[in-house]
Amino acid sequence: MAKVADKPFFPKPFLVFFVLSIIFGFGITLSEAGFPKIRHYKWEVEYMFWSPDCVENIVMGINGQFPGPTIRANAGDMVVVELTNKLHTEGVVIHWHGILQRGTPWADGTASISQCAINPGETFTYRFVVDKAGTYFYHGHLGMQRSAGLYGSLIVDPQEGTSEPFHYDEEINLLLSDWWHQSVHKQEVGLSSKPMRWIGEPQSILINGRGQFDCSIAAKYKNGLKQCELSGKEQCAPFILHVHPKKTYRIRIASTTALASLNFAIGNHKLLVVEADGNYVQPFSTSDIDIYSGESYSVLITTDQNPSENYWVSIGVRARLPKTPPGLTVLNYLPNSVSKLPISPPPETPDWEDFDRSKNFTFRIFAAMGSPKPPVRYNRRLFLLNTQNRINGFMKWAINNVSLALPPTPYLAAMKFRLSTAFNQNPPPETFPIDYDINNPPRNPETATGNGVYKFNMGETVDVILQNANMLNANTSEIHPWHLHGHDFWVLGYGEGKFSAAEDGRKLNLKNPPLRNTVVIFPYGWTAIRFVADNPGVWAFHCHIEPHLHMGMGVIFAEGVHKVGMIPPNAMACGSTAMIKNYPRKP
Amino acid sequence: MAKVADKPFFPKPFLVFFVLSIIFGFGITLSEAGFPKIRHYKWEVEYMFWSPDCVENIVMGINGQFPGPTIRANAGDMVVVELTNKLHTEGVVIHWHGILQRGTPWADGTASISQCAINPGETFTYRFVVDKAGTYFYHGHLGMQRSAGLYGSLIVDPQEGTSEPFHYDEEINLLLSDWWHQSVHKQEVGLSSKPMRWIGEPQSILINGRGQFDCSIAAKYKNGLKQCELSGKEQCAPFILHVHPKKTYRIRIASTTALASLNFAIGNHKLLVVEADGNYVQPFSTSDIDIYSGESYSVLITTDQNPSENYWVSIGVRARLPKTPPGLTVLNYLPNSVSKLPISPPPETPDWEDFDRSKNFTFRIFAAMGSPKPPVRYNRRLFLLNTQNRINGFMKWAINNVSLALPPTPYLAAMKFRLSTAFNQNPPPETFPIDYDINNPPRNPETATGNGVYKFNMGETVDVILQNANMLNANTSEIHPWHLHGHDFWVLGYGEGKFSAAEDGRKLNLKNPPLRNTVVIFPYGWTAIRFVADNPGVWAFHCHIEPHLHMGMGVIFAEGVHKVGMIPPNAMACGSTAMIKNYPRKP
Ligand SMILES: [Cu+2]
Ligand SMILES: [Cu+2]
């Protein structure tokens, strides 16, 4: 019962546009523009036995599938997902990563922020318009349910009758993730324990939910691992990329890892990067891409190599000392047999600590010509210091010395109904002490939890300078991929050390900064982003590394909440919002 | 922060009684009667690493303890438990097993029945009067959270100034449970899978949360197991029963096992049974007791044996082919060293399939003199057939061919506010086909889920004939301990085969039937109980074997719901009750 129906759908803006186009003769016919449709899905979430890396475990599945079903729609369509929670004791929500949720902030799928978690047995209907073509995905956003396997792809094609600004013959969609054998429940307890028990490195890298533990399909080139099967395993056989020679393929690559920063390469094939996070970029050619959790890319490849051979697809770990073998699969030139393994070893993943190489890739990403440009001035600039801290011996991450602890009442309804006791009404600090030494462990590592909100005026232009720093141990600083809900942002620049408004502020790229929804901060560095706070709602901005968010690495943004329309009552049946009187409710 | 305060407390009935006692000179002085008190606790539930049987796992703890803190109160006291859910994704509720909840049906702690589960981060305050002295316990009642370790003891002493009807010098409290190494989440998935994966036999029997896996403190008398330590293990060292010679001890024994039927014996000591499920019984002497999940007993022992020796306490599995070594500990005659192990082997647990022996014990339980007697006539009699079934290949248990599937909206609020779509308004069948062959597998094992309610008139006397039957496999029938919420019931009799109203109905014991809240049905047999439906509320009646209830083995009773007072709003912030309009709610 995955897909229920595709119905024609006429959103108000479309109808206005349609009528205007008739009056003014825009020259757009119905068959060209296509009708926006309703893409209707009925989903049930439940744990099920599954062997993502050939080792049986329980995963969170949707309609018996892992990863969940792929949503496919055209820009302008309305996606409707009736989500029923079939778990026995756990709530659930689903976040539509990269979808802006304009006019539907309650459908953003963030527990404690946009809605109450859906209780066991209950159904919540997500209804939102996908307004921009691109490569997206969805995932759980309660506790560590993303780590438990609650994710899937969301692909938006251009409006019917329009086309992408680049040519390709066919496409292949890859959703990358990392997988642990320890249950997420134990992982959570470990992270919340004193002393903290770290989850360690993943056992396997999954490509479309498929990996291989303790073996390799390229074993003959590797030492230590045994050869694994290319086929025959229903759940963990590798996802093969079947291609025809002499064609151009768009490969969509999204990463929903809990932890791992990945590097993607295809033996003998150059990758032409054309899209990042649902935004077109200035095409550039590269041998491999780095992809951090929360990011997505489209690359074009041309199958112009020796057609009698197959080629490796290799996905390895970067930015952390890898203990996980690369995820491997085969680019299969048809009609070759898949079992004809490539004649040379898989591409080597670049050295994990070669951050210069990582930066070299990242700094090549610019907006495609004709992309929206950022406002030239900001109204407000936040400086957000990322630090590892402790609270009474518990390990935490904090932003400007506040470790985010989400409240039981969702912010969106709490703010709309002015429930002033639902969260701390004082906003958190907008900057950090000027003399903070980012190159050494925090002098006073003790911090505190908080749940205050950064409130923006509707329409103001906000800069955020994400400032990395040393961790608790000397000489350590990690990458963090920061993801913003409800907005794309322009990435104005990156730099080493502490951001200097005088020096660095002048060098920001206002010409062709890429639009993204996720951006990385490098060790000991800063990243500057800009966005317009013009989407009424409450929006998480957080590190996309699941255990980091679990330990408090996030902040809450809000703007124009008074303009937010009718929040569905069952999005607010928890915490203090459950007590709201005189709010129209259906019996 | 377990216990907050004991405050004097004057419930309305007490004040009335107190004033009357002054007016009519009942001869009760304040110091004799004692003031009822408020027993105030603040609890936080969370998973924690723990080694209940010396193997590390995660358990559901309360305030960092496993089992949870013991509640101790006097009859008439009000217990107040402010329960905060510190879990990350799971709801939680706590049921106060054996407490009648007169006037407070919303405090019964049954998810989907008396209340909505408490969401992560939220606090729910349980407030109820414990009106009867006895040995009780509390436990989770959502999903299989009881199996996850969410339980503890609740001991009610007689009103201050009054005393028990038997003498003892000191007391020892034992809460028995069984323990699996597989997570409850995996257990749940297995039970809900097609084909079902059975949880198997427990790895360990726990005495006050302490057991020993893969070793035995009586190893020298057993083959195959290694000797385990008597002390030094903080979490799993055995709970030792320290006694002084020549005294009388009351040993309270409650079983909150997920599955196991247990047998309790102490080497060289006779047990005098005096209490069952919080009701006094005609004292009788026995070498050992059978205790099913959900039951409690008090036994008196006299420490009149050779004072220079210690003695075994042995708790073994009955009614299922045991694969779990007995739980063992030591009755330590002080001042002997605990390490002086008893000179002879531990008492042997009787043969698991010697049901005649089990019946012989069970049939000896009668109400103490002066106990309330049952009404001589019933107004209504339900015949409830217990069968194992399938639904589309999923394994289920059903009562009169209905397998209970709890709805997302709690019944109590749904009935009070007449939310007729919250559950099936047609009551389930009150009997089963007269020609049903209980000695063979069901002819048509296919069944269906249901969530209808058996509704009783306020005050009517209800008989329930629990009828056991053959399971899906030929020649198998299992015991089931049935537990009723909100009421004690009289156990009028047991019998073999199918209950015959004409034959068996005449032989029921109306003279001195014991009052219980849990009663067993034996393989291929029936058990007849009687109760007065005089407690306004909605009450679960179910098999206390956790996986059986999970697979649908329960029914819902209700009476006088229109008389139910103000349900706390946060007990009904889920399902359709979350949508109730115009119900007074605090902002
Ligand atoms: Cu991070
Ligand atoms: Cu049962």
Side-chain angles (χ1 to χ4, degrees):
Chain A
M1 271 229 300
K3 186 84 168 284
V4 171
D6 290 348
K7 306 174 202 157
F9 150 68
F10 305 93
K12 253 188 238 158
F14 175 79
L15 287 175
V16 169
F17 176 74
F18 179 60
V19 169
L20 286 176
S21 76
I22 292 172
I23 297 171
F24 295 101
F26 286 174
I28 293 172
T29 70
L30 269 183
S31 65
E32 267 175 346
F35 288 96
K37 290 194 178 69
I38 293 177
R39 308 285 182 169
H40 199 158
Y41 299 83
K42 272 194 159 184
W43 287 358
E44 294 185 344
V45 174
E46 60 187 318
Y47 282 108
M48 56 188 192
F49 289 114
W50 204 266
S51 303
D53 60 354
C54 304
V55 176
E56 193 186 70
N57 215 313
I58 54 173
V59 307
M60 278 193 156
I62 297 176
N63 293 355
Q65 294 174 242
F66 169 76
T70 293
I71 292 180
R72 188 116 203 173
N74 292 90
D77 286 355
M78 177 175 276
V79 172
V80 179
V81 179
E82 285 180 58
L83 189 76
T84 299
N85 179 356
K86 302 289 273 188
L87 306 170
H88 299 293
T89 54
E90 295 184 50
V92 78
V93 291
I94 289 186
H95 168 59
W96 318 93
H97 187 107
I99 306 301
L100 301 180
Q101 302 291 355
R102 290 189 176 274
T104 53
W106 50 79
D108 194 42
T110 44
S112 287
I113 303 169
S114 66
Q115 69 171 120
C116 298
I118 306 163
N119 295 312
E122 293 186 12
T123 299
F124 181 83
T125 303
Y126 289 97
R127 247 178 259 276
F128 53 88
V129 172
V130 291
D131 44 17
K132 196 158 52 75
T135 304
Y136 306 102
F137 56 101
Y138 60 82
H139 60 79
H141 216 295
L142 168 62
M144 289 175 56
Q145 290 182 343
R146 180 160 60 91
S147 294
L150 185 56
Y151 44 72
S153 290
L154 196 174
I155 307 296
V156 181
D157 292 304
Q159 208 177 311
E160 266 182 51
T162 68
S163 58
E164 301 280 14
F166 40 80
H167 164 79
Y168 54 95
D169 299 300
E170 290 182 52
E171 71 164 65
I172 293 169
N173 179 46
L174 303 179
L175 181 60
L176 310 181
S177 56
D178 44 7
W179 186 250
W180 279 256
H181 292 167
Q182 188 181 49
S183 77
V184 288
H185 302 97
K186 277 198 178 174
Q187 290 181 40
E188 279 178 349
V189 176
L191 294 170
S192 311
S193 287
K194 182 163 72 175
M196 182 200 63
R197 300 195 196 175
W198 178 243
I199 60 171
E201 299 302 311
Q203 272 68 64
S204 305
I205 302 300
L206 307 184
I207 305 170
N208 288 348
R210 293 152 176 275
Q212 39 209 338
F213 179 66
D214 219 17
C215 66
S216 168
I217 54 171
K220 68 170 171 167
Y221 297 109
K222 300 268 166 188
N223 42 8
L225 289 179
K226 61 175 193 288
Q227 178 69 31
C228 39
E229 307 290 328
L230 268 169
S231 62
K233 305 261 184 171
E234 202 187 331
Q235 294 168 356
C236 60
F239 177 88
I240 305 293
L241 286 70
H242 301 287
V243 293
H244 295 278
K246 307 278 173 215
K247 292 205 178 274
T248 300
Y249 286 84
R250 176 185 193 166
I251 304 183
R252 298 178 184 268
I253 310 154
S255 171
T256 183
T257 56
L259 175 64
S261 303
L262 299 176
N263 180 273
F264 176 94
I266 301 181
N268 296 42
H269 290 72
K270 283 275 172 194
L271 314 174
L272 187 72
V273 181
V274 293
E275 182 219 344
D277 298 0
N279 293 290
Y280 301 122
V281 300
Q282 268 184 32
F284 67 97
S285 177
T286 178
S287 58
D288 56 274
I289 65 167
D290 283 333
I291 181 166
Y292 300 95
S293 179
E295 295 186 332
S296 70
Y297 289 100
S298 286
V299 299
L300 303 183
I301 65 164
T302 307
T303 48
D304 55 4
Q305 297 298 302
N306 181 348
S308 62
E309 301 296 340
N310 293 327
Y311 301 90
W312 290 115
V313 176
S314 174
I315 296 157
V317 174
R318 297 207 70 204
R320 304 179 64 86
L321 178 64
K323 292 181 182 151
T324 315
L328 289 176
T329 187
V330 174
L331 182 75
N332 170 225
Y333 271 50
L334 292 169
N336 300 336
S337 162
V338 173
S339 62
K340 183 174 187 185
L341 288 181
I343 50 172
S344 41
E348 280 292 333
T349 302
D351 175 28
W352 72 274
E353 27 180 19
D354 187 352
F355 288 103
D356 286 340
R357 195 181 192 285
S358 307
K359 290 170 191 171
N360 185 47
F361 170 76
T362 302
F363 297 171
R364 292 179 70 193
I365 301 169
F366 296 107
M369 299 238 293
S371 298
K373 286 189 192 251
V376 294
R377 287 193 184 74
Y378 61 88
N379 302 109
R380 188 122 158 238
R381 183 175 271 177
L382 308 184
F383 299 85
L384 300 184
L385 177 69
N386 291 225
T387 54
Q388 194 184 29
N389 298 77
R390 286 201 194 90
I391 299 180
N392 301 323
F394 293 96
M395 184 78 84
K396 298 287 174 186
W397 285 88
I399 305 306
N400 291 355
N401 213 30
V402 178
S403 183
L404 181 63
L406 291 171
T409 305
Y411 288 100
L412 182 64
M415 291 184 73
K416 184 174 158 83
F417 294 99
R418 300 177 185 282
L419 307 175
S420 59
T421 58
F423 62 92
N424 187 340
Q425 298 295 297
N426 300 317
E430 304 221 345
T431 188
F432 57 92
I434 194 157
D435 62 347
Y436 187 89
D437 178 5
I438 66 155
N439 293 308
N440 282 294
R443 257 171 252 155
N444 173 12
E446 197 70 7
T447 187
T449 59
N451 59 24
V453 174
Y454 293 98
K455 287 175 207 153
F456 304 128
N457 297 324
M458 249 319 262
E460 79 181 332
T461 299
V462 178
D463 275 14
V464 179
I465 313 295
L466 286 160
Q467 178 66 60
N468 211 338
N470 201 100
M471 295 163 68
L472 285 173
N473 290 328
N475 302 315
T476 54
S477 182
E478 284 181 351
I479 69 98
H480 304 281
W482 277 80
H483 171 64
L484 178 58
H485 292 231
H487 311 76
D488 284 340
F489 50 74
W490 291 276
V491 182
L492 304 186
Y494 304 83
E496 311 284 321
K498 212 190 282 189
F499 178 84
S500 147
E503 298 278 315
D504 302 315
R506 257 182 283 139
K507 298 181 203 149
L508 298 176
N509 173 16
L510 301 180
K511 216 186 71 197
N512 59 355
L515 273 166
R516 307 285 311 244
N517 61 54
T518 304
V519 73
V520 67
I521 57 172
F522 289 105
Y524 299 108
W526 55 263
T527 298
I529 66 168
R530 179 167 293 179
F531 65 94
V532 180
D534 61 356
N535 190 5
V538 184
W539 309 106
F541 181 45
H542 63 90
C543 176
H544 212 260
I545 292 179
E546 190 89 319
H548 287 184
L549 173 58
H550 186 83
M551 291 187 281
M553 199 168 205
V555 295
I556 305 295
F557 289 168
E559 71 235 24
V561 175
H562 58 284
K563 296 195 175 183
V564 168
M566 171 109 161
I567 302 172
N570 54 353
M572 36 189 265
C574 64
S576 323
T577 50
M579 312 293 160
I580 295 169
K581 203 173 160 178
N582 293 330
Y583 181 75
R585 288 157 191 272
K586 289 172 272 183
Chain B
M1 273 229 300
K3 189 83 167 282
V4 170
D6 290 349
K7 308 174 200 156
F9 152 69
F10 305 91
K12 251 189 239 158
F14 175 78
L15 287 176
V16 169
F17 176 74
F18 178 59
V19 169
L20 285 176
S21 76
I22 291 171
I23 296 171
F24 296 102
F26 287 175
I28 292 171
T29 70
L30 271 181
S31 65
E32 267 174 345
F35 289 95
K37 289 193 179 67
I38 294 177
R39 308 284 183 170
H40 200 158
Y41 299 83
K42 272 193 159 183
W43 286 358
E44 295 185 345
V45 174
E46 60 187 319
Y47 282 108
M48 56 187 191
F49 290 113
W50 204 266
S51 304
D53 60 353
C54 303
V55 176
E56 194 186 70
N57 216 314
I58 54 173
V59 307
M60 278 193 157
I62 298 176
N63 293 356
Q65 293 175 243
F66 168 76
T70 294
I71 291 179
R72 188 118 204 172
N74 293 90
D77 286 355
M78 176 175 278
V79 171
V80 178
V81 179
E82 285 180 58
L83 189 76
T84 299
N85 179 357
K86 301 288 274 187
L87 306 169
H88 299 294
T89 54
E90 296 184 48
V92 78
V93 291
I94 289 186
H95 167 60
W96 317 94
H97 187 106
I99 305 301
L100 301 179
Q101 301 291 357
R102 290 189 176 275
T104 54
W106 50 78
D108 194 42
T110 44
S112 286
I113 304 169
S114 66
Q115 69 171 120
C116 298
I118 307 163
N119 295 312
E122 293 187 11
T123 300
F124 181 83
T125 302
Y126 290 97
R127 249 179 256 275
F128 53 88
V129 171
V130 291
D131 45 16
K132 196 158 51 77
T135 304
Y136 306 102
F137 55 102
Y138 61 84
H139 60 78
H141 216 295
L142 167 63
M144 289 174 58
Q145 291 183 344
R146 180 160 59 92
S147 294
L150 186 53
Y151 44 73
S153 290
L154 197 174
I155 307 297
V156 182
D157 293 304
Q159 209 178 312
E160 265 181 50
T162 67
S163 57
E164 301 281 15
F166 39 82
H167 163 81
Y168 54 97
D169 299 300
E170 291 183 52
E171 71 165 64
I172 293 168
N173 179 47
L174 303 179
L175 181 60
L176 309 181
S177 55
D178 43 8
W179 186 250
W180 279 256
H181 292 167
Q182 189 181 50
S183 77
V184 287
H185 302 98
K186 277 198 179 175
Q187 291 181 39
E188 280 179 349
V189 177
L191 294 171
S192 310
S193 288
K194 180 161 73 173
M196 182 200 61
R197 301 194 194 174
W198 178 241
I199 60 170
E201 299 302 310
Q203 272 67 63
S204 304
I205 302 299
L206 307 184
I207 305 170
N208 288 349
R210 293 151 176 275
Q212 40 211 337
F213 178 66
D214 219 17
C215 66
S216 168
I217 54 172
K220 67 169 174 170
Y221 297 109
K222 299 269 166 188
N223 41 10
L225 290 178
K226 63 175 191 291
Q227 179 69 29
C228 38
E229 307 291 326
L230 269 170
S231 61
K233 306 263 185 171
E234 203 188 329
Q235 294 169 357
C236 60
F239 177 88
I240 304 293
L241 287 69
H242 301 287
V243 294
H244 295 277
K246 306 279 175 215
K247 292 205 176 278
T248 300
Y249 285 84
R250 175 183 192 166
I251 304 183
R252 299 177 183 269
I253 310 155
S255 172
T256 183
T257 55
L259 175 63
S261 303
L262 299 175
N263 181 273
F264 175 95
I266 301 181
N268 295 45
H269 290 73
K270 282 274 173 197
L271 313 174
L272 187 74
V273 181
V274 293
E275 181 218 344
D277 297 0
N279 293 291
Y280 301 121
V281 300
Q282 268 182 34
F284 67 97
S285 177
T286 177
S287 59
D288 56 273
I289 64 166
D290 283 334
I291 180 164
Y292 300 96
S293 179
E295 294 186 331
S296 71
Y297 289 100
S298 285
V299 299
L300 302 184
I301 66 164
T302 306
T303 48
D304 55 5
Q305 297 298 300
N306 181 350
S308 63
E309 301 295 342
N310 293 326
Y311 301 89
W312 290 113
V313 176
S314 174
I315 297 157
V317 174
R318 297 207 68 202
R320 304 179 64 87
L321 177 63
K323 292 182 182 151
T324 314
L328 289 177
T329 188
V330 174
L331 182 74
N332 169 225
Y333 271 50
L334 293 170
N336 300 336
S337 162
V338 173
S339 62
K340 183 175 188 185
L341 288 180
I343 49 172
S344 43
E348 279 294 333
T349 302
D351 175 28
W352 72 273
E353 28 180 17
D354 186 352
F355 288 103
D356 286 341
R357 195 179 192 286
S358 307
K359 290 171 191 169
N360 184 45
F361 169 76
T362 302
F363 297 171
R364 291 179 70 191
I365 301 168
F366 296 106
M369 298 239 293
S371 298
K373 288 192 189 243
V376 293
R377 285 193 184 75
Y378 61 88
N379 304 108
R380 186 117 161 245
R381 182 175 270 178
L382 308 184
F383 299 85
L384 300 185
L385 177 68
N386 292 227
T387 54
Q388 194 183 28
N389 298 75
R390 286 201 195 89
I391 299 180
N392 301 322
F394 293 96
M395 183 79 83
K396 297 287 174 188
W397 285 89
I399 304 307
N400 290 355
N401 212 31
V402 177
S403 183
L404 180 64
L406 291 171
T409 305
Y411 288 100
L412 183 64
M415 291 184 74
K416 183 173 159 80
F417 294 98
R418 301 177 183 282
L419 305 175
S420 60
T421 58
F423 61 91
N424 188 340
Q425 298 297 298
N426 300 318
E430 303 221 347
T431 187
F432 57 91
I434 195 157
D435 61 347
Y436 187 90
D437 178 3
I438 66 156
N439 293 308
N440 283 295
R443 255 173 252 158
N444 174 13
E446 197 70 6
T447 187
T449 59
N451 60 22
V453 173
Y454 293 98
K455 288 174 208 154
F456 303 127
N457 297 324
M458 247 321 261
E460 80 181 331
T461 297
V462 179
D463 275 12
V464 179
I465 313 296
L466 287 160
Q467 179 65 59
N468 212 338
N470 200 100
M471 294 163 68
L472 285 173
N473 290 329
N475 302 315
T476 54
S477 183
E478 284 180 353
I479 68 99
H480 303 281
W482 277 80
H483 171 63
L484 179 58
H485 291 231
H487 310 75
D488 284 339
F489 51 73
W490 291 274
V491 183
L492 303 186
Y494 304 83
E496 311 282 324
K498 211 189 282 191
F499 177 84
S500 146
E503 297 279 315
D504 301 314
R506 258 184 283 138
K507 297 181 202 151
L508 297 177
N509 174 15
L510 301 180
K511 215 185 71 198
N512 58 356
L515 272 167
R516 308 285 308 245
N517 60 54
T518 305
V519 73
V520 67
I521 58 172
F522 289 106
Y524 299 108
W526 56 262
T527 297
I529 66 168
R530 178 168 294 181
F531 65 94
V532 181
D534 60 357
N535 190 5
V538 184
W539 309 107
F541 181 45
H542 63 90
C543 176
H544 211 260
I545 291 178
E546 190 89 319
H548 287 185
L549 173 59
H550 186 83
M551 291 188 283
M553 198 168 205
V555 295
I556 305 295
F557 290 167
E559 70 234 23
V561 175
H562 58 285
K563 296 194 174 184
V564 168
M566 170 110 161
I567 302 173
N570 54 351
M572 38 187 265
C574 66
S576 324
T577 48
M579 312 292 161
I580 296 170
K581 203 173 160 178
N582 294 331
Y583 181 73
R585 288 159 189 270
K586 288 171 275 182

